[in-house]
Amino acid sequence: MVILHYIDRFDISKDLNSKFITVLCNGMSEYAVSHIVTKCYVENNDIDKELIHVVNKRNGFIRTLYDIMPKIVHIHGCWSYDTAKFLIAAKRRGFYIVWSPHGGLQNWVIKNNFYSKKLSRIIMYQFFATTRCDMIHVCGEIEQDNVKKLRWNKNITVIKNSLVTQEITVEQMCKDMAMMYQNIIDKNINKEINISTQKAFYSLIKAGLIRDDIALRPGLNIISEEERKNFTQLKYND
């Protein structure tokens, strides 16, 4: 499983969200290959530099997405146009999206500078970006309740942050996160199978029901010429 984490500024020395991403990348090494995409990277020896991808005009969001080809795109942060733009761009291209607002949708955060800043950002990008997520990850029940009250997206999972609470260990947090990623992939498994593959499976099932001693040999006419082509296409596509 390949996971892409996006955050506007990656700075382990000052930013708690950057530390959270680092813990996930290190703790999930058994379950996934992780990459970190950011616009601004402050170097630190606690993270492997090969995991970091700095995007700019020459090496943009879309190119980085297709270079990495992740199964899951995990977005971190809230109220940022670039964050929302990356989220929407990845979703439009068929990638599964997990979004961690990291408290950004708490009601007291929204009320702070609501008319001067938040309202315009909600209208321009934040509401739409929230609706496009396959899953919103929150770190506690209070945050979950506040996000539910907005009714922007009903897909919410609570996984506590081991950096701010002793109620969960780093190991358990990483296992829960990996399970959440896998559940999203499993839920959308039908999208992973293209039409040709589905037709070939149907042909194989039909052939198995009709013939007791079927042998899948090259050139075998399973039921019809069209179904034989489906099977052949599946074989060479794989």
Side-chain angles (χ1 to χ4, degrees), residues 6-204:
Y6 175 82
I7 187 169
D8 276 348
R9 179 182 175 88
F10 189 76
D11 183 1
I12 301 176
S13 62
K14 297 180 180 180
D15 181 40
L16 183 62
N17 296 339
S18 297
K19 293 179 181 178
F20 175 75
I21 295 172
T22 304
V23 169
L24 286 183
C25 292
N26 294 335
M28 293 182 61
S29 57
E30 297 181 18
Y31 317 112
V33 176
S34 300
H35 296 266
I36 301 169
V37 176
T38 183
K39 288 182 62 183
C40 179
Y41 170 51
V42 179
E43 292 192 16
N44 192 291
N45 295 328
D46 292 339
I47 189 73
D48 186 354
K49 293 182 181 179
E50 294 183 0
L51 301 179
I52 309 295
H53 305 264
V54 180
V55 292
N56 48 46
K57 291 183 179 180
R58 183 175 182 180
N59 186 29
F61 293 128
I62 307 305
R63 179 177 177 180
T64 304
L65 267 175
Y66 285 112
D67 284 345
I68 298 173
M69 286 302 293
K71 278 291 184 182
I72 299 288
V73 176
H74 192 155
I75 307 292
H76 300 264
C78 198
W79 307 111
S80 162
Y81 173 73
D82 287 324
T83 299
K85 182 172 70 172
F86 189 69
L87 187 158
I88 294 168
K91 184 61 179 178
R92 284 177 175 169
R93 286 157 180 80
F95 295 94
Y96 303 136
I97 305 297
V98 173
W99 178 42
S100 296
H102 294 293
L105 294 183
Q106 300 278 33
N107 57 7
W108 56 86
V109 175
I110 296 177
K111 289 178 181 178
N112 185 32
N113 296 320
F114 178 76
Y115 290 105
S116 61
K117 293 182 179 180
K118 296 299 193 323
L119 181 58
S120 59
R121 294 176 184 181
I122 290 172
I123 294 171
M124 286 192 298
Y125 57 81
Q126 194 59 71
F127 169 75
F128 182 69
T130 304
T131 64
R132 304 303 292 161
C133 302
D134 294 286
M135 187 63 66
I136 298 177
H137 158 244
V138 296
C139 297
E141 286 74 17
I142 295 177
E143 185 179 5
Q144 180 186 35
D145 291 341
N146 286 326
V147 175
K148 280 184 176 180
K149 288 176 183 177
L150 292 173
R151 297 184 179 180
W152 292 357
N153 193 318
K154 64 180 181 180
N155 300 317
I156 306 170
T157 295
V158 178
I159 299 176
K160 295 184 183 297
N161 185 346
S162 64
L163 297 179
V164 297
T165 179
Q166 295 182 348
E167 295 180 21
I168 190 171
T169 64
V170 171
E171 292 77 13
Q172 188 60 50
M173 180 182 72
C174 293
K175 287 181 180 179
D176 291 347
M177 197 67 70
M179 185 178 298
M180 179 185 66
Y181 293 154
Q182 191 59 54
N183 287 340
I184 293 171
I185 296 171
D186 293 343
K187 182 180 178 181
N188 296 278
I189 191 64
N190 289 336
K191 297 179 183 178
E192 302 287 326
I193 304 176
N194 59 34
I195 300 299
S196 299
T197 305
Q198 292 182 37
K199 287 182 178 180
F201 282 147
Y202 296 150
S203 299
L204 290 172

